[in-house]
Amino acid sequence: MTDLLPLLQEFHRDKLAMLLRHQAGARLVGQYDANNTYQYIVNREEAQLTWVGTAIRELGGDAADARETPRSAAGKADAAARAIFDEDARDAQAFVDRWRPRIDEMQNARHAKMLR
């Protein structure tokens, strides 16, 4: 249980950074369907961050804040959007690769399911 709070806080920081990158990406992608997809992703991430933040506070901790890192998209609209999508896909896979083994080892089923 003593390792749970730092793990949740680290997950929260990673997920918050991802959310902020997705929000920045959504501002750069003007195509309607793609932007709607970003809004869906952002809403899901906000919900998960709320759950994780609640769990952190229940354990007596604080959920960290983060600052958005600027994103840029070079090239024409379609090429720039594709570059953003590709970068987000790589980042998402890296996030899963980094967190899946740690989550699979968690003893607390409630928290493991929440992080999945």
Side-chain angles (χ1 to χ4, degrees), residues 25-36 38 77-78 80-81 84-85:
R27 283 191 290 279
L28 295 172
V29 175
Q31 202 277 337
Y32 180 77
D33 291 336
N35 195 278
N36 276 351
Y38 266 111
D78 289 344
I84 290 169
F85 301 152

Side-chain angles (χ1 to χ4, degrees), residues 35-90:
N35 195 278
N36 276 351
T37 301
Y38 266 111
Q39 298 314 311
Y40 173 78
I41 292 167
V42 164
N43 286 336
R44 286 186 54 98
E45 288 175 331
E46 286 174 341
Q48 188 177 30
L49 282 168
T50 298
W51 300 337
V52 176
T54 298
I56 289 169
R57 285 185 295 283
E58 286 174 355
L59 294 170
D62 291 317
D65 292 328
R67 294 180 197 259
E68 187 174 309
T69 55
R71 290 184 85 170
S72 62
K76 295 188 179 205
D78 289 344
R82 173 56 49 203
I84 290 169
F85 301 152
D86 290 345
E87 183 179 271
D88 285 346
R90 285 189 304 274

Side-chain angles (χ1 to χ4, degrees), residues 18-19 21 49 72 76 105 109:
M18 184 177 278
L19 165 71
R21 287 192 53 75
L49 282 168
S72 62
K76 295 188 179 205
E105 293 176 6

Side-chain angles (χ1 to χ4, degrees), residues 8 12 15 21 25 42 50 53 67 75 77-78 81 83 96 106 110:
L8 292 177
H12 188 275
K15 181 56 87 168
R21 287 192 53 75
V42 164
T50 298
R67 294 180 197 259
D78 289 344
V96 169
M106 290 180 72
R110 173 182 167 236

